[in-house]
Amino acid sequence: MLSKSLIATGLCFLLAEAIPHNDVLSRSQSSAMDSYLLYATSYSGIVHTLNLTLPAPGCNGAASLRAVATTDQCGGKPSWLTFNHDNSLMYCTNQGFGTPNGSLTSFQTSKDGSLTPLSQVVTPYGAVHASIYGDGGKGMVVAHYSGSAMSTYSIANPASLQQLESWTWQLEKPGPNPQNAPHPHEAVVDPTGNFILVPDLGADLIRIFAIDRTTLKLTTLTPHATPAGSGPRHLVFHVTEGKTLAYLASELGNTVTVFEVIYQANNAGLVLNQVYVTSTHGEGNTAPKGAAAAELVFSPDNKYLVVSSRLEGTLSIPNFDPKNETAIPSDPIFNFEVQQETGALSLVQTVPAGGMVPRHFSMNKAGTLVAVGLQQDFRVVIMKRDVATGRLGDIVAQIKLDGEVTFVIFDE
Ligand SMILES: *[C@@H]1O[C@H](CO)[C@@H](O)[C@H](O)[C@H]1NC(C)=O
Ligand SMILES: *[C@@H]1O[C@H](CO)[C@@H](O)[C@H](O)[C@H]1NC(C)=O
Ligand SMILES: *[C@@H]1O[C@H](CO)[C@@H](O)[C@H](O)[C@H]1NC(C)=O
């Protein structure tokens, strides 16, 4: 009797053999490999297109992660990528360290991974995040961490980006943690498309703006004050059981706070009503001194929330170099199950991020893979994820890039 794995190996062999003779099958079906394109930014000034290949389910073989294209046209300090997949467009923010300004650049993406620059605008300093907003996706809002600013653009013509408005803020008095200036870290559009929320790490605020969806003009509403010294960083929405919840990772307080979003009549505004808060390390635990919460991501099925923390180095992984017996120090990634009725979080797993300073990470659409950008280690790792159990698994591929990795995402 043939064992299951022998049958699988035989099938993989047949599939691999079939490629040269059968050009009807598409590339991903014909090979015994699954392949994915990803994009990763690094402070070397390079945006990398990466090709991840994995043995198809049931097939043997090694995974690989290779750079297939690069561009240096985003500017010197690329920090975030925003996509319009329908039109194969990518927008890259550049923090602009060492120069007076940041920048925003649009690119055409391509199936072969190449990135063609279309248009670039000078922005306020320290651009760290951008979102598309407005009817037809014609607006873009950018948060500027080091510039204490926010700015908006018309991207109606991606080959001719135009600045619309900008805001710069100051602190009346320094925050306790210590916070010497406002630091807008992100500008997130709510699920209705009518509001923008901006976690401000320096001011301990979530700034709130109403969108005019046709003119793209923003109106400042009353901000939500977060606890002094908490340092709000990144926020994600979760629509469940007729409620809209917002999950906030606070970098300085190392907490995840859950708010119910209460919309006022006639789109007049919104109020954030706190319903739950936990340490990034789970209920009853505290983050070590010096820890800095970074990214938070919902699984595609919305059942799990995954959160990364930086500058802990409390975990380790085996060296990627089999000849090197020294373990690689790693920061943690926390995997929470989301209680659907209350929005509360139960810590179910803590795993090594794959190295130090997991500033950003993302999941593929199927929820089977997690790509982690490790800023301090100049590395991207790919981790498996079990969709049925929500558990994060082994690191299956990795690549060392030429600078501090700031962002990584699957092209899907
Ligand atoms: C990615 O790698 C696979 C397997 O080698 C290959 O078939 C595919 O063409 C590559 N894709 C790109 C865009 O380079
Ligand atoms: C560029 O930086 C300067 C100095 O901070 C600032 O005054 C100017 O508004 C910035 N330009 C744009 C387009 O934001
Ligand atoms: C072995 O790995 C450690 C941890 O990554 C690294 O610091 C060290 O330089 C490596 N040694 C060699 C000989 O490559």
Side-chain angles (χ1 to χ4, degrees), residues 128-140:
V128 285
H129 180 266
S131 292
I132 294 172
Y133 75 96
D135 287 345
K138 290 181 179 151
M140 179 155 275

Side-chain angles (χ1 to χ4, degrees), residues 341-393:
E341 271 137 59
T342 61
L345 299 170
S346 312
L347 182 65
V348 292
Q349 196 187 19
T350 303
V351 297
M356 292 298 292
V357 187
R359 169 167 168 164
H360 184 256
F361 65 94
S362 45
M363 282 186 209
N364 66 340
K365 266 193 183 153
T368 55
L369 298 167
V370 182
V372 187
L374 297 151
Q375 183 171 356
Q376 189 172 308
D377 289 8
F378 295 17
R379 197 182 294 282
V380 170
V381 302
I382 307 292
M383 199 180 279
K384 283 218 164 177
R385 181 173 177 276
D386 184 323
V387 180
T389 65
R391 294 302 184 276
L392 302 172

Side-chain angles (χ1 to χ4, degrees), residues 27 34-38 49-53 64-69 399:
R27 190 172 58 215
D34 285 338
S35 75
Y36 299 82
L37 284 189
L38 297 97
T49 308
L50 305 176
N51 189 359
L52 170 67
T53 59
S64 77
L65 186 59
R66 293 194 190 93
V68 291
I399 186 170

